[in-house]
Amino acid sequence: MTASPSINTAEANALASQTAAEIEYIVISRHNQMLANRDGEVADYIPELAKVPADQFGLAVASKTGQIFSAGDAQATFTIQSVSKVYTFAMLLELVGREEVYDLVGVQPSSDPFNTITLDPRTNRPFNPMVNAGAIAVCGRLRQLLGPSAFDEVLKLFSRAAGRPLEVDEKVFESERETGHRNRAIGHLLRAAGVYDLPVDEVLDVYFRQCSIKVNAIDLAVMGATLANLGVNPRNGEDLFGLDAVRDTLSVMFTCGMYDGAGDWASRVGLPAKSGVGGGIMAVVNRQIGIGVFSPRLDEAGNSVRGKMCCIGLSEALGLHAFDAANPGSSFLKGLAKPA
Ligand code: GLU
């Protein structure tokens, strides 16, 4: 059996020796390769997002042993936007278990845009938790369970997963609140469907705030590594999610995480991932690493152009694709588990 031609075995072998310098080299070189790319457009349907400097570009990898490798603007902050949907979904799974969550929201990819004002006609529930309707339904249940402190609990959990105290970008929050009429319509649709019985604005307050949490590429990498590390943040040892919640979350990221580009992503990158309109992408190599990328110019599917290219580059160079025939990533990145 020969290795897939897409895998750069020289780099894979270099990484097999697991020196931090070599891993740093791969991360930096993938970042450099994409630096000149100016394709795509910054999201502007939330007015405050249009003001983000379009050229920012950070890449970070966090291993399950807590090592961090980064390049470029890896500490530049941006709003997490839809990447937050991953963590509120996992949070609810952890709180009430799979059956109750699956009663609330499906796990079916939808061919509609992320902000479509529809439910799955078969179930009268949102298609999946990665589209707005699903994420708002999850928010509604969190709000119902946790009361007015729901958002504080969300922020606390996100901070524990990132390994540092996170904050809300109040300007983006206000901007979303003022202009989020589609999300408000979805909120009312959910209430009419009996998904929750709460004032819609109370639910959307949590949703808009969760989308406005400020993170950087390193935060996303660590949050991804927490999922990769079976729910335990490898940096601070915080045990956040059980195995069932991690498995269910990674599964829905794999099938539904990348907007209308989910199929192309699954085939070219082969990793569970979630993107946001702020330009962030979080990808997970199960039991090995988390990847965080930030670059605000988006492609037609709504995914960061440079972010996607970086993930394709890392996946090819390191053999990270879940179904790669040779998949050297599975073995050599395990070496990262060894003490330095
Ligand atoms: N807050 C954004 C919205 O609901 C999130 C969109 C996204 O990142 O997909 O429109």
Side-chain angles (χ1 to χ4, degrees):
M1 185 79 73
T2 53
S4 153
S6 68
I7 296 167
N8 180 337
T9 42
E11 284 180 341
N13 289 337
L15 263 184
S17 67
Q18 301 141 26
T19 70
E22 285 159 346
I23 298 167
E24 191 88 45
Y25 164 77
I26 300 283
V27 170
I28 291 171
S29 65
R30 287 303 169 277
H31 179 271
N32 281 348
Q33 276 172 0
M34 299 306 148
L35 204 50
N37 188 315
R38 299 280 189 282
D39 294 344
E41 304 291 335
V42 176
D44 60 4
Y45 75 100
I46 300 169
E48 204 57 32
L49 285 186
K51 299 180 186 166
V52 167
D55 282 338
Q56 296 178 100
F57 180 24
L59 171 63
V61 166
S63 75
K64 69 170 190 178
T65 54
Q67 290 161 285
I68 291 187
F69 309 95
S70 66
D73 304 321
Q75 305 215 35
T77 56
F78 55 94
T79 51
I80 189 168
Q81 296 298 337
S82 274
V83 184
S84 64
K85 294 168 179 170
V86 167
Y87 266 87
T88 45
F89 180 60
M91 185 176 173
L92 190 62
L93 280 167
E94 200 56 32
L95 278 172
V96 300
R98 169 190 243 197
E99 293 316 317
E100 191 173 326
V101 175
Y102 282 20
D103 248 12
L104 178 77
V105 55
V107 284
Q108 192 57 31
S110 133
S111 50
D112 294 322
F114 72 98
N115 59 0
T116 186
I117 309 170
T118 49
L119 300 175
D120 183 339
R122 296 166 312 157
T123 60
N124 213 25
R125 293 289 179 266
F127 279 96
N128 66 71
M130 303 289 115
V131 293
N132 287 11
I136 294 168
V138 166
C139 255
R141 186 59 55 89
L142 288 173
R143 180 67 179 74
Q144 220 147 20
L145 288 168
L146 303 170
S149 66
F151 179 71
D152 291 342
E153 294 301 320
V154 167
L155 186 61
K156 228 182 274 172
L157 180 85
F158 282 38
S159 299
R160 291 168 73 195
R164 72 181 185 99
L166 301 177
E167 293 171 356
V168 168
D169 184 323
E170 293 294 338
K171 285 191 175 157
V172 172
F173 166 65
E174 285 304 335
S175 190
E176 287 213 45
R177 189 158 63 169
E178 274 165 32
T179 59
H181 305 301
R182 289 192 73 87
N183 287 325
R184 223 160 259 127
I186 293 170
H188 284 285
L189 179 66
L190 291 168
R191 186 169 178 181
V195 170
Y196 47 71
D197 187 17
L198 287 169
V200 169
D201 278 337
E202 281 180 11
V203 176
L204 286 178
D205 188 76
V206 179
Y207 176 71
F208 291 143
R209 280 184 193 279
Q210 80 174 56
C211 289
S212 306
I213 294 173
K214 282 189 284 187
V215 290
N216 59 38
I218 293 173
D219 295 328
L220 288 189
V222 174
M223 292 171 89
T226 298
L227 292 172
N229 192 35
L230 307 176
V232 178
N233 180 326
R235 303 272 294 169
N236 59 16
E238 295 249 28
D239 191 349
L240 301 179
F241 304 115
L243 301 187
D244 288 351
V246 170
R247 184 198 51 218
D248 290 348
T249 303
L250 292 178
S251 304
V252 82
M253 285 168 70
F254 196 81
T255 51
C256 309
M258 300 302 286
Y259 302 118
D260 304 341
D264 187 55
W265 177 277
S267 146
R268 296 186 72 187
V269 183
L271 295 175
K274 183 74 199 89
S275 59
V277 292
I281 297 179
M282 177 180 78
V284 176
V285 184
N286 196 24
R287 306 197 185 199
Q288 297 181 46
I289 59 175
I291 301 171
V293 202
F294 165 54
S295 178
R297 289 200 187 87
L298 310 179
D299 63 18
E300 279 174 4
N303 299 314
S304 166
V305 174
R306 292 197 290 203
K308 179 176 175 183
M309 297 309 289
C310 274
C311 289
I312 291 174
L314 286 174
S315 180
E316 286 179 355
L318 305 179
L320 304 177
H321 194 297
F323 308 117
D324 214 318
N327 200 1
S330 313
S331 49
F332 72 76
L333 282 172
K334 273 187 198 137
L336 290 171
K338 294 180 188 159

